[in-house]
Amino acid sequence: LVGPVEDERWDDRTRNAMAEVGPFVRAATSEELAATLAAADLVVANDSGVAHVAAATGAPTVAFFGPTDPAVWGP
């Protein structure tokens, strides 16, 4: 998923390098984001809102946690 921050910060070189990894999806609204995540075969995300939305849609989700406790903050 690519949002406004990536569009602002990525230069052409970074965008081209990342394009080799796979397709990018832009979700303009929270509804589009939820629909995109719900349709995914698997969502891999850091401990973020995206991981929580993915889990809420029922999408299979793997969330990586750093210093936070997933037992407390997990989706």
Side-chain angles (χ1 to χ4, degrees):
L1 293 168
V2 177
V5 172
E6 289 79 20
D7 283 334
E8 290 174 11
R9 294 183 182 173
W10 287 3
D11 59 17
D12 288 339
R13 183 174 157 215
T14 303
R15 194 172 283 105
N16 291 338
M18 293 302 293
E20 295 178 16
V21 175
F24 291 103
V25 176
R26 285 179 172 79
T29 67
S30 54
E31 290 82 7
E32 288 178 3
L33 173 64
T36 299
L37 295 170
D41 293 326
L42 175 66
V43 176
V44 179
N46 64 327
D47 176 24
S48 65
V50 171
H52 291 271
V53 172
T57 68
T61 304
V62 175
F64 290 92
F65 289 80
T68 57
D69 184 353
V72 175
W73 298 106

